[in-house]
């Protein structure tokens, strides 16, 4: 199982990123735990710009809203490398 963290304070961009991640996970049918990280101090430990996305402990996206297709491609690549 992969843990996917979405870093953001709840702004529209962060919420869209969360929805895109959820959709990508559903479309790929993978076992993933999706965690919203909204604490500013914790976000600052991971990324400089929100929204951010991490697979396990690897930052994959930062400062942009990744499309569902971009997330799926990165997830597939990440899982193949595990």
């Amino acid at each position: 199982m992969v843990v996917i963290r979405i870093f953001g304070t709840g702004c529209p961009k962060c919420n869209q990123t969360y929805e895109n991640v959820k959709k990508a996970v559903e479309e790929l049918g993978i076992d993933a735990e999706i965690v919203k990280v909204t604490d500013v101090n914790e976000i600052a430990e991971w990324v400089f710009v929100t929204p951010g996305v991490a697979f396990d402990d690897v930052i994959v996206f930062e400062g942009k809203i990744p499309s569902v297709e971009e997330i799926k491609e990165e997830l597939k690549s990440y899982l193949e490398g595990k």
Side-chain angles (χ1 to χ4, degrees):
M1 179 174 75
V2 62
V3 176
I4 303 173
R5 292 178 181 85
I6 293 94
F7 302 96
T9 57
C11 70
K13 288 181 180 181
C14 300
N15 292 336
Q16 185 60 57
T17 299
Y18 177 78
E19 292 303 320
N20 288 358
V21 167
K22 256 181 35 179
K23 186 167 185 185
V25 167
E26 287 170 11
E27 288 182 8
L28 289 175
I30 62 168
D31 186 20
E33 177 185 355
I34 303 172
V35 178
K36 275 183 160 180
V37 180
T38 58
D39 178 73
V40 177
N41 293 322
E42 189 174 352
I43 291 169
E45 292 177 23
W46 288 84
V47 295
F48 291 110
V49 184
T50 60
V53 178
F55 301 157
D56 293 323
D57 294 328
V58 179
I59 299 296
V60 185
F61 299 103
E62 183 175 356
K64 72 174 227 163
I65 304 171
S67 71
V68 173
E69 288 306 313
E70 286 175 307
I71 296 164
K72 285 167 61 176
E73 286 301 311
E74 289 294 333
L75 254 177
K76 284 191 266 185
S77 174
Y78 178 76
L79 292 172
E80 286 170 7
K82 272 187 98 172

